[in-house]
Amino acid sequence: MKYCAEFASHYDHILWFFCEHSIAEGILADGRTEKMLGINSAPQATYTQRLQDVFTALSKWEGNNLMVIDNANKSKDIRETDFNCPNWKILLTTRADMGSSSRFRSKKINVLSDELAAELFCKYYPPAEESPDLLKRLLLAIDNHTLVIELLAKTLHIRSEMNYTLAKLCDDLENHGVLSLPASTKLTPNYLQYRHKQLRPETIIQKMYNQANLGEGENLILQYFSIFPADFIPISYLVYLFQIGENEQFKFQDQLNILAEKGWLDKSTDGYKLNQIIKSVVRNSFEPTCDYFENLINHLIQSIESSNITQSHWLVPYANSVLQQVKGVNNALRSLCYELCDAYYELGKLLDALEIAEHYEKVCLELDDQEHLSIVYDRKGNIYKSMGEIDKALHFFELDMSLN
């Protein structure tokens, strides 16, 4: 992000893609990239073919261009993707081990320097400047991890009126076994070995989340975000997804802003986003079942069902994310599968429709719902027919007939 901000003037075009599952899915962005480029891929086209169509279209863009592919953490995915886009510089961010044989030049992004880490901490909690030795020991213990620094400092700022000090925070973290501060600012080999084995940002963030004393509404917001796609969500989308009434919108946005101030949400001009590590922590703190989110699921079903798909297409990736993240099965989840399968089919995304149909089939089998299982087989038959795979289409049409 910092690189793009500093060097934006060097490029004619900059595209940023976030990869939650794979590079292809991240770039295709549920069809939004193809729509932007005016691409009409064949309905039976694979993700690989669609991705190459995107790269071919982008190759026609003139000038000095930058494509950022963020969070591409699967080395096999990186190796097998054909980045055939010669007039674009490709910048990947990854936690994968690329190895010496990678076609990409790599640069390890180090943690913040001690000076910058202290400056960041004091930005959100200025009183820390009064305890430089303790602050340095804390920063050494957390290895200057940016997200942890922001959460700890913002927590101290929020609780400062309750006389919750830096020393009290450090005592709490040590007493609960979350981390152990070094005895001095000079690190010994034994302590470095301990830190390497024991330090996990998730453990510290889980502790902070458990002690955050968030309100019921704040917790619910984070729980919703934990099952939504991992990119920035516009406020207008959030208002619709959370079913916020006109008179409650200012209050709702205040809640989002407060969560951002506390460090639990990221905020930008594009909307709000939940960091991946925090998302994992939130999901581990409750059971994200389809029963728990039934109200949201029914809202998505009604919205997709009652709207023209060209108007409600933006809802589809959110509905799909909910489907993939919730646990268990019920009738509402079955109906969501039904609507999503038809939505993808109408949008011409046959592979996505087929993937949902597979999920739909598993739900129906678990519910022992023969009526909807018949619908699944009919849908799969039509999908394969549209893909030109007639033998498979006939097989599923016969299965459908056998249930009627």
Side-chain angles (χ1 to χ4, degrees), residues 340-358:
L340 263 181
C341 185
D342 282 0
Y344 276 124
Y345 186 82
E346 288 181 46
L347 289 168
K349 301 180 187 305
L350 299 184
L351 289 176
D352 292 313
L354 186 59
E355 184 179 323
I356 299 300
E358 298 288 352

Side-chain angles (χ1 to χ4, degrees), residues 295-315:
N295 182 48
L296 170 63
I297 292 170
N298 283 327
H299 177 54
L300 291 166
I301 291 167
Q302 292 164 11
S303 299
I304 296 173
E305 180 184 36
S306 62
S307 305
N308 184 307
I309 194 57
T310 57
Q311 297 173 331
S312 62
H313 71 277
W314 69 269
L315 277 170

Side-chain angles (χ1 to χ4, degrees), residues 361-372:
E361 183 176 3
K362 291 176 184 176
V363 171
C364 290
L365 289 170
E366 195 162 342
L367 291 173
D368 193 24
D369 188 330
Q370 298 297 302
E371 180 181 351
H372 270 267

